[in-house]
Amino acid sequence: MHYRVILRILGILLMVFSITMLPPIGVSLFYNDGHDYAFVGAFAITLLTGFLIWLPVYRVKQDLRTRDGFLITVLFWVVLGLFGAVPLILSASPHLTIVDAVFESLSGLTTTGATVMTGIDLLPKSILYYRQQLQWLGGMGIIVLAVAILPMLGIGGMQLYRAETPGPVKDSKLTPRITETAKALWYIYLALTIACALGYWLAGMTLFDAIGHSFSTVAIGGFSTHDGSIGYFDSTLIEAICTFFMIISAVNFSLHFYGWRQKTLLHYFHDPEFRFYLSILGVVFLITFVALIGTHTYAPLDSLRKSSFMVVSIATTTGFATADFAHWPVMLPFMLFVAAFAGGCAGSTGGGMKVIRILLILKQGYREIKRLVHPNAVIPVKLGNKPISDRVLEAVWGFFSVYLLVFILMMIALLGTGLDQVTAWSAVGATLNNLGPGLGDVAVHYGDLNETAKWILCFAMLLGRLEVFTLLVLFTPAFWRR
């Protein structure tokens, strides 16, 4: 393990992250909300800490290996989550405890969208902007992580994209090719954000709301500058724009990259994961729409509007709201919540287990059924026309089993803190899938949970965002052996 070079990277990371405190200072001064001191203090603390970590090791230069990659990836989210909480701790409004500030910060950076805050409309503009910015920065980090780094680390079947993505390296060390990949993805991410912000602005949002909501839409985050979320605007056009950008932001950014390079859209429909992703959204929408009409919950047009928006928002793990889906009739709350377990496509800002894994699990299940009829047949699992190696399938099944095991253990832990079953089940699901809103006592916010439960859910958010294995591998003795 190259600890000195890891510390050097960590120091640089913190110094760069300190720069992100400057835009909220500008927002605070522009709106004269009197909270610039919180961000000035956070800027100084973060910059100084980063400098003190970097200074003793600034001359160190070594190649990073896979094991270093795991540790840096985990430290990236943990350290930024902790330092991202500093402005929220220093600020007088909202007045947050340390656990609440860390929860809100991690929820933003992991694009979970779960909040402990109420009275969001009354918060200072700089704090509102900062929450949205956290999600946007986290979303960019997720894209680079999912498309450039995780395939190289071989996390739970993500190596499937080693050949298809624009830049993941083929050897065991991190190289400048990741920089090329990150740069290309950055341009796509930025272009989507600008287009989304313009769409919101032209549809009637203020410029502040348009920028803030574009940040959380493209990041598949779900934070809003209003307690009423997207429903606050009560605009069909705004909801349509939001739905469109949620759908494309939950698509593998490698497809966007290829489309941008080749100037074509046909390849989207040749991609098995994309087709399956649209199928999930379509089927869940039809069932929801029919159920809302059949139970006379809304008028037909309202049923169409609310079901289309909420299905996309929950299934892509964004978490925006125009209706209280937790109180919808029959099986709808449970069904929508389960759809979030599939989440977005691999290599997107979406959460969940990823559509590609669900597709491969279904394909392998179907293969086992065919083997019962033809026990001696050699039946490969194919994605499109490409056979998938057993190594990838084993990794996918390994991920699935560990994901469920972690889910059960964390739910038991939450039950042990005194939460009821519905709240515990949905809180773990909402944070592990980086969804945000849950059912029961966490349908609106997480502020009423006890501190122990909040720390457990912070860990769940990190597990979900780091594809479980990336974080759990650090707890194995083999990882630390020379």
Side-chain angles (χ1 to χ4, degrees), residues 195-206 209-215 217-218 230 237-239 241-243 245-246 309 320:
C196 185
L198 284 173
Y200 281 146
W201 185 51
L202 294 173
M205 280 191 187
T206 64
D209 280 341
I211 293 171
H213 284 87
S214 70
F215 282 176
T217 303
V218 176
I230 293 293
L237 180 57
I238 285 174
E239 289 166 25
I241 291 167
C242 185
T243 301
F245 279 98
M246 284 190 292
F309 183 89
F320 282 136

Side-chain angles (χ1 to χ4, degrees), residues 172-194:
S172 63
K173 62 183 180 182
L174 306 179
T175 75
R177 291 192 62 190
I178 287 182
T179 309
E180 298 166 18
T181 303
K183 191 184 296 184
L185 296 171
W186 165 257
Y187 287 135
I188 295 167
Y189 189 72
L190 183 62
L192 285 176
T193 306
I194 293 170

Side-chain angles (χ1 to χ4, degrees), residues 237-257:
L237 180 57
I238 285 174
E239 289 166 25
I241 291 167
C242 185
T243 301
F244 172 75
F245 279 98
M246 284 190 292
I247 289 173
I248 63 173
S249 297
V251 172
N252 191 328
F253 269 57
S254 300
L255 295 179
H256 297 328
F257 178 85

Side-chain angles (χ1 to χ4, degrees), residues 363-443:
K363 282 179 173 289
Q364 192 178 8
Y366 181 60
R367 177 174 72 168
E368 296 307 313
I369 292 172
K370 288 201 290 186
R371 276 179 170 171
L372 292 174
V373 181
H374 306 288
N376 296 320
V378 177
I379 308 169
V381 172
K382 290 185 176 181
L383 205 58
N385 296 319
K386 296 179 181 178
I388 304 302
S389 72
D390 286 341
R391 175 68 192 91
V392 169
L393 293 174
E394 287 167 10
V396 169
W397 273 110
F399 176 89
F400 182 69
S401 58
V402 170
Y403 202 87
L404 291 184
L405 180 63
V406 164
F407 181 92
I408 292 167
L409 291 175
M410 299 193 89
M411 187 178 76
I412 292 171
L414 282 190
L415 289 171
T417 68
L419 302 187
D420 64 88
Q421 289 188 34
V422 172
T423 301
W425 180 83
S426 66
V428 174
T431 49
L432 193 59
N433 291 320
N434 303 121
L435 165 62
L439 306 173
D441 294 343
V442 292

Side-chain angles (χ1 to χ4, degrees), residues 1 67 70-71 74-75 78 402 406 409-410 455-456 458-460 462-464 466-481:
M1 195 78 73
R67 199 178 299 194
F70 280 111
L71 189 55
V74 173
L75 287 174
V78 173
V402 170
V406 164
L409 291 175
M410 299 193 89
W455 284 121
I456 292 169
C458 285
F459 187 64
L462 283 171
L463 275 172
L466 292 170
E467 302 284 337
V468 181
F469 282 147
T470 316
L471 182 52
L472 290 184
V473 72
L474 267 60
F475 293 91
T476 62
F479 180 83
W480 302 99
R481 289 196 196 109

Side-chain angles (χ1 to χ4, degrees), residues 90-406:
L90 297 178
S91 174
S93 177
H95 184 65
L96 298 181
T97 62
I98 291 176
V99 62
D100 282 350
V102 172
F103 185 98
E104 197 77 14
S105 173
L106 275 175
S107 181
L109 282 168
T110 60
T111 72
T112 302
T115 184
V116 293
M117 295 185 184
T118 53
I120 291 172
D121 294 86
L122 304 176
L123 291 175
K125 291 286 189 182
S126 54
I127 296 291
L128 290 176
Y129 172 82
Y130 179 65
R131 292 171 75 242
Q132 306 302 113
Q133 179 185 270
L134 279 176
Q135 293 213 313
W136 191 69
L137 293 171
M140 186 65 251
I142 289 157
I143 289 300
V144 175
L145 177 76
V147 176
I149 297 173
L150 289 186
M152 187 202 64
L153 299 179
I155 299 301
M158 288 306 200
Q159 64 268 44
L160 185 67
Y161 284 95
R162 207 176 264 187
E164 282 104 12
T165 49
V169 285
K170 307 284 193 293
D171 58 18
S172 63
K173 62 183 180 182
L174 306 179
T175 75
R177 291 192 62 190
I178 287 182
T179 309
E180 298 166 18
T181 303
K183 191 184 296 184
L185 296 171
W186 165 257
Y187 287 135
I188 295 167
Y189 189 72
L190 183 62
L192 285 176
T193 306
I194 293 170
C196 185
L198 284 173
Y200 281 146
W201 185 51
L202 294 173
M205 280 191 187
T206 64
L207 187 60
F208 180 82
D209 280 341
I211 293 171
H213 284 87
S214 70
F215 282 176
S216 55
T217 303
V218 176
I220 305 289
F223 273 168
S224 175
T225 53
H226 300 281
D227 284 306
S229 190
I230 293 293
Y232 168 87
F233 302 99
D234 193 23
S235 165
T236 305
L237 180 57
I238 285 174
E239 289 166 25
I241 291 167
C242 185
T243 301
F244 172 75
F245 279 98
M246 284 190 292
I247 289 173
I248 63 173
S249 297
V251 172
N252 191 328
F253 269 57
S254 300
L255 295 179
H256 297 328
F257 178 85
Y258 186 83
W260 172 56
R261 275 282 176 90
Q262 303 297 324
K263 305 294 186 291
T264 179
L265 297 177
L266 292 177
H267 68 290
Y268 283 96
F269 299 97
H270 294 151
D271 182 70
E273 184 187 26
F274 179 76
R275 295 198 304 267
F276 187 57
Y277 162 69
L278 290 185
S279 300
I280 292 172
L281 293 181
V283 170
V284 175
F285 159 70
L286 282 175
I287 295 172
T288 304
F289 177 56
V290 170
L292 289 178
I293 287 182
T295 55
H296 306 289
T297 305
Y298 304 109
L301 280 179
D302 277 345
S303 295
L304 177 66
R305 176 178 167 184
K306 292 185 186 300
S307 60
S308 58
F309 183 89
M310 289 305 297
V311 165
V312 172
S313 179
I314 301 301
T316 60
T317 73
T318 310
F320 282 136
T322 56
D324 185 5
F325 85 100
H327 293 98
W328 277 359
V330 292
M331 77 298 182
L332 292 182
F334 183 82
M335 183 187 70
L336 286 181
F337 201 81
V338 168
F341 276 82
C345 300
S348 76
T349 52
M353 287 189 283
K354 304 298 182 291
V355 171
I356 188 69
R357 290 195 181 105
I358 304 299
L359 178 58
L360 288 175
I361 287 168
L362 290 174
K363 282 179 173 289
Q364 192 178 8
Y366 181 60
R367 177 174 72 168
E368 296 307 313
I369 292 172
K370 288 201 290 186
R371 276 179 170 171
L372 292 174
V373 181
H374 306 288
N376 296 320
V378 177
I379 308 169
V381 172
K382 290 185 176 181
L383 205 58
N385 296 319
K386 296 179 181 178
I388 304 302
S389 72
D390 286 341
R391 175 68 192 91
V392 169
L393 293 174
E394 287 167 10
V396 169
W397 273 110
F399 176 89
F400 182 69
S401 58
V402 170
Y403 202 87
L404 291 184
L405 180 63
V406 164

